[in-house]
Amino acid sequence: MAERAIDAATDVSRTIGEVAGGLHAAVDRLTATIEEARKPGKPLSTVAAITREAPLASLFVAFLFGVAVARRR
């Protein structure tokens, strides 16, 4: 019985390790994509510049977008 418990714990540990590895790879890909989108002339760079220029207008647009998305559901 003790051997079964140890085997189960080993399997769980191995599964957790695989999940953690997958999450780490996904985070790395997402980080690289965000860094690429922040380069000058790319979409996130443009949005950041607009937000710095007119923060209240950007907040209002984001609010309206949120309301529109919430109503669709």
Side-chain angles (χ1 to χ4, degrees):
M1 182 160 326
E3 286 181 20
R4 269 195 262 162
I6 291 172
D7 288 343
T10 302
D11 289 343
V12 168
S13 175
R14 196 171 293 134
T15 302
I16 291 173
E18 291 172 1
V19 169
L23 286 174
H24 185 67
V27 167
D28 288 345
R29 285 193 307 267
L30 183 60
T31 301
T33 302
I34 290 172
E35 287 176 1
E36 182 67 28
R38 284 186 175 174
K39 290 183 179 177
K42 300 287 182 161
L44 286 182
S45 173
T46 304
V47 170
I50 292 170
T51 304
R52 277 192 296 275
E53 293 293 322
L56 290 178
S58 299
L59 180 62
F60 181 66
V61 169
F63 174 76
L64 290 179
F65 180 73
V67 168
V69 169
R71 286 191 177 184
R72 294 182 98 192
R73 293 183 179 193

